[in-house]
Amino acid sequence: MSEQVGRAGFHAVHTKRASERGAILDEMMRELDPDAVVRWAARNPSIVVADEVENEAYVNDCSGGFRRCTDKQEVLDYGEARLRRVRRKIAAPKVDPATGEEKGGTTTTTMLVTHLPKSLCVEVPDYYPVLYKKGPRKGEQKLDEDGQPRYRSRWVARDKDEARRYFDDVGEIIANHLSPGGHDGILGRDDQYSETTPHAQWLLDAFADDPKHDGSLKAAGSTFWFAHKGRMAELHQRLKDELIARGWDISPDFDEKRHAYGHAKAEYGDIEDERDRVTERAQRVVDDDAKLNDWDDRLRDKRDALRDKEEALDERERALAGLEKDTEETRTRLELDTSALDEQRRAFEDDEVPRLRRKAVTEGAREGREQVTKELGHLEDTRRALESQLRALAEHEKRLQETPQLFDEFLDRKDKNGRSYRPIFERFVDQRLAQFEREHDVAGEMTLEAGDREQFIRDGGKTLGAEVTQLKIERERERSPGR
């Protein structure tokens, strides 16, 4: 294995929407959120989930350094505080009606990626399989010219303390030469050791101190990053020169094209891997701007969709509560009507039937029979109408009992990413149970038995509330037996 040459550089992605910072940090500081780790590992096969704990997130400490970050919101809050100091209105990009593309607007945010030089790493050969990423064979492992499965190496820091010192030096160079706002303009940083090569990601804003207005900031991204045609090459060279001056083993004149030719057959796989990586990085540069612009819209749409689903579930719960109330009222009304009908029947049989029979004797059997038949027919019509109402009530109760099945069918449906809505509903139930415990002063004391959670979902806690109240009364009686 030949000695690796250390190289230094950076990859920069700019955006004009400050609202995209949340999406950037979701990937950049994913180790702070277990759900984000799972989500991004599914998208990026280079992520080694077991090593995510090695990653280190930092936020600007407002004192010329960084402190460890435990929540990406700390970075967002620091950036928002600086946005509020921008004196002039930040212009949003506008859509060109001719092309449909966004143009103009103020650059607000930059993400930089700097890799640890391979001269500071240890190679782990044949760690990742080389896969087809597009086409009909996507996901299949590639083969070399001899038909053997191809693998690519992983590079890990040979000394994590040394890697941290390297990224600290890079941070100072960025603050002095690559950040429009100096160190204050670096919102956060994340040192990542869980992918193919150790690297640091830096989130910068594009604002500098306004010399004409003390305490205010002004937009400086365009003039800083795009001052002239060779500006980016100039900044790359500045980073490399500063690192060499600080004693790091960085090559000042490494030529990738020259070193990509003339290799022996044994090095064929390494050459192909490097070409794949170069192609992927070039494509990523092309895709990143569109992807970052699209992230915020997609995240906002998903947030709105989740809010709509939550509101629909709340409305469904309110409708069920109303149906239960209406059913109980209808049942009570029908029971009263049935009781009244029974009273009328008994009164008719006790009083009216004998009277009509006497009337039949005195006024003629025929007329009396017709009157009895008429009255009995009226009672029979009333009975049939009441039975029809009872059947309708039974059918209504049957539909109400089937509602949980409809809930289950809805909650087990999958969104376009194949994820179920059930976890959202279950978290909502857990929140309602916690609220129930606080309202009934039983927080930390209540243990649900089999069927209690399902009953809580069906009646919103009515049955469980009655049981808790009865249990409190019984306990009070046990404590005061003489009362």
Side-chain angles (χ1 to χ4, degrees):
M1 186 180 302
S2 60
E3 183 178 351
Q4 288 294 326
V5 178
R7 288 172 289 163
F10 63 87
H11 172 59
V13 176
H14 310 283
T15 179
K16 298 173 182 178
R17 300 181 186 276
S19 59
E20 294 178 357
R21 293 174 180 175
I24 295 172
L25 288 169
D26 187 65
E27 189 279 336
M28 174 175 162
M29 295 186 171
R30 59 182 180 270
E31 70 272 12
L32 301 181
D33 180 2
D35 290 341
V37 171
V38 174
R39 186 169 59 253
W40 285 103
R43 299 184 186 184
N44 182 0
S46 294
I47 293 176
V48 181
V49 174
D51 289 347
E52 280 290 295
V53 295
E54 300 293 331
N55 297 349
E56 299 175 354
Y58 298 88
V59 61
N60 195 309
D61 65 3
C62 303
S63 300
F66 297 93
R67 61 177 175 82
R68 290 298 293 269
C69 177
T70 59
D71 190 331
K72 68 180 182 180
Q73 189 61 44
E74 296 175 79
V75 180
L76 294 174
D77 291 343
Y78 177 81
E80 285 296 324
R82 281 180 59 82
L83 279 172
R84 289 192 291 270
R85 292 172 52 202
V86 178
R87 186 170 179 273
R88 292 180 177 272
K89 181 179 179 181
I90 298 174
K94 296 182 179 180
V95 178
D96 185 345
T99 64
E101 298 178 350
E102 289 186 339
K103 293 186 177 180
T106 304
T107 298
T108 65
T109 307
T110 296
M111 184 186 72
L112 297 181
V113 180
T114 58
H115 284 78
L116 188 68
K118 288 185 176 176
S119 56
L120 304 180
C121 296
V122 175
E123 183 180 12
V124 183
D126 299 334
Y127 190 91
Y128 298 103
V130 179
L131 307 176
Y132 287 98
K133 294 180 172 58
K134 295 182 180 180
R137 301 182 65 182
K138 180 179 179 180
E140 294 182 17
Q141 188 169 3
K142 292 184 178 181
L143 304 178
D144 61 19
E145 62 182 9
D146 294 326
Q148 297 300 314
R150 286 178 51 196
Y151 294 87
R152 59 187 177 91
S153 297
R154 184 186 181 202
W155 299 83
V156 298
R158 68 185 183 188
D159 184 332
K160 192 173 182 181
D161 290 336
E162 178 185 56
R164 192 180 292 111
R165 290 195 301 273
Y166 176 84
F167 290 137
D168 287 342
D169 279 355
V170 171
E172 292 180 8
I173 297 169
I174 290 175
N176 295 332
H177 303 289
L178 301 180
S179 170
H183 181 273
D184 291 346
I186 305 176
L187 311 185
R189 149 190 169 188
D190 197 281
D191 298 350
Q192 300 197 353
Y193 302 92
S194 60
E195 296 186 43
T196 303
T197 306
H199 60 279
Q201 296 189 48
W202 312 80
L203 189 65
L204 285 61
D205 68 18
F207 308 112
D209 290 334
D210 189 341
K212 297 180 180 180
H213 300 89
D214 189 33
S216 296
L217 300 176
K218 66 175 183 177
S222 295
T223 56
F224 182 87
W225 293 104
F226 314 114
H228 53 80
K229 185 176 181 180
R231 178 60 170 167
M232 293 303 291
E234 176 182 287
L235 294 175
H236 275 272
Q237 190 61 48
R238 174 58 64 89
L239 172 64
K240 186 178 298 186
D241 291 344
E242 290 288 333
L243 287 169
I244 292 173
R246 291 169 182 253
W248 292 104
D249 183 17
I250 302 299
S251 172
D253 57 355
F254 184 78
D255 184 347
E256 289 188 12
K257 291 185 178 180
R258 179 174 59 84
H259 283 73
Y261 295 91
H263 287 270
K265 179 179 179 180
E267 299 181 77
Y268 172 82
D270 291 340
I271 297 295
E272 287 299 300
D273 288 347
E274 185 62 24
R275 287 175 178 169
D276 287 345
R277 286 194 290 272
V278 171
T279 301
E280 290 167 5
R281 288 171 185 155
Q283 186 61 44
R284 183 176 178 180
V285 172
V286 174
D287 295 341
D288 273 350
D289 284 336
K291 180 169 64 176
L292 288 173
N293 288 335
D294 184 57
W295 272 351
D296 188 60
D297 291 337
R298 285 189 293 159
L299 288 172
R300 184 167 50 250
D301 291 343
K302 290 179 180 178
R303 184 169 57 249
D304 292 342
L306 287 174
R307 187 182 296 113
D308 292 342
K309 290 182 177 67
E310 183 177 358
E311 291 175 355
L313 287 173
D314 289 342
E315 182 63 29
R316 182 70 172 175
E317 182 180 4
R318 288 192 293 270
L320 284 174
L323 287 173
E324 290 177 352
K325 181 179 178 181
D326 292 343
T327 300
E328 187 62 30
E329 291 175 354
T330 302
R331 181 186 291 107
T332 301
R333 190 163 54 251
L334 289 175
E335 288 173 353
L336 292 174
D337 291 343
T338 302
S339 177
L341 180 60
D342 289 340
E343 288 293 329
Q344 293 177 19
R345 184 187 297 275
R346 285 194 295 271
F348 181 81
E349 291 174 350
D350 294 341
D351 299 331
E352 286 297 304
V353 171
R355 185 184 65 79
L356 290 173
R357 284 174 178 168
R358 289 192 298 271
K359 182 177 179 180
V361 172
T362 58
E363 298 180 3
R366 177 183 175 183
E367 183 179 352
R369 284 194 301 272
E370 290 176 352
Q371 183 64 24
V372 170
T373 301
K374 180 179 179 181
E375 292 293 334
L376 288 174
H378 173 71
L379 287 174
E380 181 63 23
D381 291 341
T382 303
R383 183 187 64 78
R384 283 197 296 270
L386 196 57
E387 287 179 347
S388 177
Q389 294 182 38
L390 288 171
R391 284 194 300 273
L393 176 61
E395 185 65 26
H396 177 72
E397 288 179 330
K398 180 181 178 182
R399 289 195 301 272
L400 191 60
Q401 291 171 356
E402 292 173 349
T403 300
Q405 180 179 352
L406 296 179
F407 266 125
D408 287 338
E409 291 178 4
F410 172 78
L411 294 176
D412 289 331
R413 291 180 63 189
K414 307 291 185 181
D415 62 13
K416 63 182 181 180
N417 293 319
R419 296 174 295 190
S420 170
Y421 297 125
R422 182 171 295 278
I424 299 173
F425 179 70
E426 292 299 336
R427 286 196 294 271
F428 171 74
V429 173
D430 290 339
Q431 293 171 0
R432 290 296 299 273
L433 279 169
Q435 178 183 350
F436 175 90
E437 290 181 356
R438 293 192 298 271
E439 291 175 349
H440 289 78
D441 195 23
V442 292
E445 300 178 7
M446 187 176 69
T447 301
L448 297 181
E449 297 179 351
D452 284 351
R453 184 181 182 91
E454 291 73 14
Q455 184 64 34
F456 182 86
I457 293 173
R458 285 195 293 272
D459 62 12
K462 184 184 299 182
T463 300
L464 193 57
E467 292 177 357
V468 169
T469 301
Q470 182 62 33
L471 183 58
K472 287 183 175 180
I473 292 173
E474 292 175 359
R475 289 181 177 175
E476 183 63 26
R477 288 175 178 171
E478 291 174 359
R479 286 195 295 268
S480 305
R483 299 178 66 179

